[in-house]
Amino acid sequence: MHYALRDYLLTSGYTNIYCDFMPDVSKQLEAINLSKWDHTVADINDGSGLAYIQIQVRRSTAQEAYRVCSELFQKLDSGTEERIINLTDEKFCVARPRRGAIILEREGGYTTYYCEIALWGDN
């Protein structure tokens, strides 16, 4: 599911997006990492599942990292009406934000924020 999310974000204009990998800061300063940290299915398997994704956003300034992370957090919210988000032509999901932008790392020259979302869709 997070690979489909990567495709969705790329078509939405975001760049330097990785799955389960944050490149070394010396090689790629600005980056977004999508990490699946859990995946569950119901006891009665209907072909759907819930993927928990942590989104890490690294930028040269704290303000920019926070802005992009918060923007993604809001973008990936299906709302109370459970609006379907078409990630690709074949993959869709209902997205629920779980944890807003929180600072993860601050070093000389860059800052990383993260947020967490849950994506329900095809297993």
Side-chain angles (χ1 to χ4, degrees), residues 9-114:
L9 295 177
L10 286 169
T11 59
S12 296
Y14 296 92
T15 59
N16 302 321
I17 304 173
Y18 302 87
C19 290
D20 299 317
F21 170 74
M22 182 63 94
D24 185 270
V25 70
S26 66
K27 295 182 177 21
Q28 181 68 53
L29 173 63
E30 295 194 349
I32 297 172
N33 176 32
L34 309 174
S35 293
K36 182 169 70 172
W37 56 272
D38 198 7
H39 179 240
T40 60
V41 294
D43 291 337
I44 300 172
N45 192 348
D46 63 356
S48 66
L50 189 59
Y52 295 95
I53 310 291
Q54 183 181 85
I55 302 172
Q56 299 172 358
V57 178
R58 183 173 63 206
R59 295 291 187 260
S60 59
T61 67
Q63 295 84 1
E64 185 63 9
Y66 179 80
R67 183 193 68 75
V68 173
C69 191
S70 296
E71 184 177 279
L72 291 172
F73 185 73
Q74 292 171 8
K75 182 178 185 67
L76 299 169
D77 182 0
S78 291
T80 57
E81 299 298 316
E82 295 189 339
R83 175 183 55 90
I84 299 292
I85 297 174
N86 293 308
L87 299 175
T88 67
D89 290 340
E90 291 126 18
K91 288 276 190 186
F92 67 90
C93 73
V94 172
R96 289 277 183 228
R98 295 183 43 90
R99 183 176 294 179
I102 300 170
I103 194 160
L104 177 66
E105 184 177 35
R106 184 180 300 165
E107 297 289 330
Y110 70 91
T111 301
T112 305
Y113 272 82
Y114 78 96

